[in-house]
Amino acid sequence: DDVELADLSAEDLLTRLREGKVYVPDQAARALEEFFRKGNLIALRELALRRTAQRVDAQMRGYREEHGIREIWPAAERLLVCIGPNPAGTRLVRAGKRMASSLQCDWLVVSVDVPGQAFSEADRSALAQNLHLAQELGAQTATLSGQDVATEALAYARSHNVTKIIVGKPTHPRWRDKLFGSTLDSLVRGSGDLEVYVISGDEASPRPRGGRAEVRRSPATEYGWAALVVAVGTALGAVVFRNLSVTDVAMVYLLGSGLVASRYGRGPSLMAALLSIACFDFFFVPPYFTFAVTDLRYLLTFGVMLGISLVISALTLRIRDQAEAARQRERRTGALYAMSRELAAARNQGDVLNIVARHLRVSFGAEAHVLLPDGGGHLEGPADLRLDEKERSVAQWVFDRGRPAGRSTDTLPAALGLYLPLQAATGTVGVLGVRPTGTTGLHDPMALRLLEAFAGQAALALERALLAERAQREQVEVEAERLRTSLLSSVSHDLRTPLAAITGAAGSLLDDEAPLEAHARKDLLRTILDESHRMNRLIGNLLDMIRVESGALRIQREWQPLEEPLGVALIRLGDRLKDRQVSVDLPADLPFVPGDPVLLEQVFVNLIENAVKYTPMGSPIEVAASSEGGVVRVRVADRGPGLPPGEEERVFEKFYRSAGAPPGGGVGLGLTICRGIIKAHGGRIWAENRAGGGAVFQFTLPLVGPDFPAPPAIE
């Protein structure tokens, strides 16, 4: 949060060491001999002062930005080197490094991309190499975009509290400065309190011819179209000249020049302007059909036409270049946004890897792959990935050290691919490998920054997928532990209780020393039978639950009347229902239902048995069914205490037992099994309280479905 500097000169610290004020005498003497020599202490003091100055400088820059202060506060030196595609680029970078080292200050290197001033491939490659060299030498690099180099450079310098600017001496002819303005002159005049250093280029490395390229080198067809537009303008001018004045003819030629400038490059537009003036003079300025001019006022007209044509051409080309630059930025931003949007919806690592590889292939025209570590920290790629041992060693180096390497870097540049570490909050989660398919490498700084942004998004998505898988595994482990605990509880209590009763009753029957009456023996035998049935139900519920959870539950559907599974269930529960009034309401026109008779019988048994357990002795139980909307709806209702508020859904959870559950009521699996069986049939089950007291459990069974057999014919 804060930095405090406790400063002391090396001489004073050595004196305190000798006096024993820092260590005990023996330790102080050993420290003076081994490390705490005067040179080391001076170096440590310099590091402390430098670190404190950097922190204070960062606070000062934040304060200036917060309060909108644009004046330079020269509290610390900071250099800005402006480079472009010229032969002095390398010299400027190295000069900036030497000056920054001598001043012991930070330095920055920027290049300004001006729409309408495109460069050849060789110039772009040289600019990218110079920016890469600056990064290797420790500079902070940036590529700016704007209409004026001087304005953008000065704005960047003031926003970063730069005190000195280094630029190269102009190498172009002086007439260009007179005609188009001088960037160096604008930089010096607008520098204010900034110091500007002008360094000459390297005379030993002259600029190659043809290094500068026009915005677009038009082929012969474009010049042909320009000539055709002038010819059409001449024909239209002849029509206009018969009815209007010669000034209107000039407007027709200006329109043609604008059209050529809007479609083609500077060369065709300049040719169109000159041809327009020549045709205008030849056909419409007296004496006609000659290039002679008797009225000198037409010379001014020719100059105005040429000037307006050139201005229109320059503005049109600038707009086109700006639109192209905007399209490139939009394309890169759109590619990053599209990948981010797809990564946000990715559910696992496989989806993330496929999305990253596809977008990098589209955006960079390169083969991309992601290498992930195994349990031992060794990188592994997709099964179809073919990397030789050399490339794998480069990728492993990147993963181990967290730094990029390979092609277009200063580390292991002989590799065929560029490898970037996928850095996340938890560390390096993998390595992104990119291998360009063309002959050009990834030297463009903007392309490298976009690639780094792609790598950052991929790292975040991979980390999210890893955390999701880890959370899922932990959830499974937690659920398995809870299931194991519940099973142990069931075995230790719910199964032990009937076993204890059976053991006690059997022991009493085998005791020859205490003869039993006939009715007592019968009671003990009935106890053994009842507890055996109870234990059998508990074990059956556990096995059914395992079938439901593992997905091994198979539905054998057949069309049947609902009375059959319900009747069998009532017969099975006859002993438990002998003191109950069970009312059944099944309409005569109730259709057949497609379902498994054994499983539906189990549903009725569990629901009715649940009503018996949780309601007072002698209270009624109602079973009803109806057909509505393509489903059969079944209701099992009671007149007991009902469900506690908020437990309507929880009663279907595994091993859940209500607070008012009677002792020995089971392990809490009956309703869970019912839900699994009904869902397997494609239906729905739910519970709610009845008006007037009691609970009602309802479920639906669909009457239609693609895999249902045809219903039987009812005679």
Side-chain angles (χ1 to χ4, degrees):
D1 294 335
D2 202 359
V3 176
E4 288 190 19
L5 176 64
D7 188 32
L8 189 65
S9 66
E11 292 80 5
D12 292 340
L13 182 56
L14 291 173
T15 301
R16 292 173 62 84
L17 282 170
R18 295 189 186 98
E19 294 176 353
K21 295 182 179 180
V22 179
Y23 296 110
V24 297
D26 293 340
Q27 294 177 344
R30 189 163 55 252
L32 288 171
E33 294 176 359
E34 294 179 356
F35 180 79
F36 287 106
R37 296 186 296 273
K38 184 175 181 179
N40 291 352
L41 293 176
I42 294 175
L44 287 174
R45 187 186 186 194
E46 181 184 5
L47 289 175
L49 292 171
R50 187 181 303 280
R51 175 60 180 154
T52 306
Q54 291 175 352
R55 181 62 178 269
V56 174
D57 181 68
Q59 294 176 349
M60 182 266 294
R61 291 172 59 189
Y63 180 84
R64 292 177 63 247
E65 182 177 355
E66 179 182 356
H67 292 79
I69 300 174
R70 300 190 56 82
E71 292 80 9
I72 302 300
W73 289 2
E77 297 289 350
R78 182 175 281 110
L79 300 182
L80 176 66
V81 181
C82 299
I83 65 172
N86 55 61
T90 304
R91 183 181 179 89
L92 288 175
V93 171
R94 297 190 181 278
K97 171 61 177 176
R98 289 193 298 270
M99 183 176 292
S101 299
S102 63
L103 295 175
Q104 297 293 320
C105 65
D106 298 332
W107 62 300
L108 307 94
V109 178
V110 299
S111 172
V112 182
D113 185 12
V114 179
Q117 294 184 356
F119 308 106
S120 65
E121 186 64 29
D123 284 341
R124 289 189 177 277
S125 178
L127 177 60
Q129 292 176 1
N130 290 335
L131 290 174
H132 185 65
L133 174 64
Q135 292 178 347
E136 292 180 352
L137 296 178
Q140 177 183 346
T141 62
T143 301
L144 310 178
S145 179
Q147 294 295 329
D148 185 73
V149 175
T151 302
E152 297 297 328
L154 289 173
Y156 186 84
R158 289 191 170 90
S159 64
H160 288 74
N161 202 37
V162 170
T163 58
K164 303 179 187 299
I165 299 179
I166 299 178
V167 295
K169 182 181 294 184
T171 57
H172 53 259
R174 183 174 297 180
W175 62 267
R176 290 186 57 183
D177 293 340
K178 299 294 185 181
L179 186 60
F180 301 106
S182 172
T183 300
L184 178 60
D185 183 67
S186 301
L187 195 63
V188 172
R189 292 180 180 276
S191 61
D193 50 356
L194 290 172
E195 298 179 7
V196 180
Y197 293 82
V198 183
I199 298 178
S200 62
D202 189 358
E203 297 296 337
S205 57
R207 183 181 184 86
R209 293 184 179 181
R212 182 79 177 188
E214 295 293 334
V215 176
R216 291 174 181 83
R217 294 189 179 276
S218 303
T221 53
E222 296 186 353
Y223 287 92
W225 280 106
L228 180 61
V229 169
V230 174
V232 173
T234 302
L236 292 176
V239 176
V240 172
F241 187 65
R242 295 174 183 175
N243 303 296
L244 301 174
S245 65
V246 69
T247 306
D248 300 310
V249 177
M251 295 298 103
V252 172
Y253 281 116
L254 288 178
L255 177 61
S257 299
L259 291 176
V260 172
S262 64
R263 296 295 302 274
Y264 308 115
R266 181 176 286 114
S269 62
L270 180 60
M271 188 194 76
L274 295 176
L275 283 178
S276 298
I277 294 174
C279 292
F280 180 70
D281 181 22
F282 189 81
F283 292 104
F284 303 104
V285 174
Y288 301 114
F289 306 110
T290 66
F291 291 104
V293 179
T294 57
D295 192 346
L296 296 180
R297 290 179 299 177
Y298 283 108
L299 296 178
L300 178 62
T301 303
F302 297 157
V304 172
M305 287 181 62
L306 179 61
I308 293 177
S309 298
L310 293 178
V311 170
I312 293 176
S313 174
L315 293 177
T316 305
L317 292 174
R318 176 176 296 180
I319 292 174
R320 289 177 59 188
D321 291 331
Q322 289 176 350
E324 180 63 27
R327 279 194 297 269
Q328 292 180 359
R329 288 193 296 268
E330 189 275 335
R331 191 181 303 114
R332 292 173 176 173
T333 305
L336 185 60
Y337 170 72
M339 192 185 76
S340 302
R341 182 177 55 188
E342 292 191 29
L343 288 177
R347 297 182 178 273
N348 51 55
Q349 289 188 24
D351 294 341
V352 172
L353 300 184
N354 293 333
I355 292 171
V356 172
R358 185 176 71 255
H359 280 276
L360 286 176
R361 191 183 310 113
V362 173
S363 300
F364 295 93
E367 297 179 359
H369 51 268
V370 178
L371 303 175
L372 299 178
D374 57 10
H378 301 287
L379 294 179
E380 295 181 349
D384 57 346
L385 179 62
R386 298 178 181 177
L387 286 181
D388 55 22
E389 193 62 29
K390 178 182 176 182
E391 297 294 315
R392 288 186 179 274
S393 62
V394 175
Q396 189 67 45
W397 187 93
V398 171
F399 179 77
D400 295 336
R401 290 165 177 78
R403 293 169 51 194
R407 190 171 181 172
S408 303
T409 67
D410 57 342
T411 305
L412 305 174
L416 298 178
L418 171 63
Y419 297 92
L420 300 175
L422 299 180
Q423 300 281 3
T426 57
T428 305
V429 297
V431 172
L432 174 63
V434 180
R435 181 180 297 183
T437 56
T439 58
T440 58
L442 297 171
H443 296 290
D444 186 6
M446 296 299 295
L448 288 176
R449 288 191 178 91
L450 181 62
L451 185 59
E452 291 174 355
F454 272 66
Q457 292 294 326
L460 293 177
L462 274 177
E463 184 184 37
R464 185 175 65 251
L466 289 172
L467 293 177
E469 292 179 1
R470 186 181 305 170
Q472 185 176 6
R473 288 195 302 267
E474 293 176 353
Q475 181 65 26
V476 170
E477 293 176 359
V478 170
E479 188 66 21
E481 183 64 28
R482 190 165 72 91
L483 180 60
R484 189 186 306 91
T485 302
S486 301
L487 287 175
L488 290 175
S489 175
S490 300
V491 172
S492 63
H493 179 268
D494 296 286
L495 293 181
R496 183 179 296 176
T497 301
L499 281 175
I502 293 172
T503 302
S508 300
L509 291 173
L510 293 175
D511 189 1
D512 297 333
E513 298 180 358
L516 298 174
E517 299 291 339
H519 66 86
R521 291 176 61 87
K522 187 175 181 179
D523 290 341
L524 291 175
L525 290 173
R526 183 174 296 278
T527 299
I528 293 175
L529 181 62
D530 292 341
E531 295 299 330
S532 299
H533 287 321
R534 177 184 173 189
M535 188 168 61
N536 182 60
R537 288 195 303 271
L538 293 174
I539 296 175
N541 283 339
L542 290 175
L543 295 177
D544 289 340
M545 191 65 248
I546 293 174
R547 292 170 60 198
V548 171
E549 290 291 320
S550 62
L553 191 64
R554 296 292 181 264
I555 305 299
Q556 302 295 330
R557 286 190 176 91
E558 58 182 61
W559 291 92
Q560 59 186 313
L562 198 61
E563 292 89 340
E564 291 186 2
L566 177 57
V568 176
L570 293 176
I571 293 173
R572 287 178 55 185
L573 297 173
D575 292 340
R576 307 199 66 182
L577 297 175
K578 60 184 179 180
D579 297 327
R580 300 276 184 161
Q581 178 184 354
V582 180
S583 61
V584 178
D585 182 13
L586 300 181
D589 58 348
L590 188 68
F592 283 13
V593 294
D596 191 312
V598 177
L599 296 179
L600 292 180
E601 172 192 331
Q602 184 66 35
V603 171
F604 281 116
V605 169
N606 289 353
L607 292 178
I608 296 174
E609 190 175 32
N610 184 77
V612 172
K613 293 177 184 177
Y614 290 90
T615 57
M617 185 69 68
S619 60
I621 298 176
E622 302 172 8
V623 181
S626 60
S627 176
E628 51 187 42
V631 299
V632 170
R633 181 176 178 181
V634 182
R635 301 170 66 251
V636 178
D638 59 58
R639 283 300 180 182
L643 298 170
E647 294 193 4
E648 290 83 357
E649 288 294 330
R650 297 194 63 190
V651 293
F652 294 99
E653 297 178 1
K654 294 191 298 292
F655 302 108
Y656 180 78
R657 299 179 64 182
S658 177
V667 295
L669 292 177
L671 294 179
T672 307
I673 295 171
C674 292
R675 181 178 61 179
I677 294 174
I678 296 302
K679 289 180 65 176
H681 280 78
R684 186 173 69 94
I685 186 170
W686 69 97
E688 57 189 19
N689 287 316
R690 299 179 65 185
V696 56
F697 289 82
Q698 305 183 62
F699 65 88
T700 59
L701 293 173
L703 297 176
V704 292
D707 57 343
F708 291 177
I714 301 178
E715 297 181 358

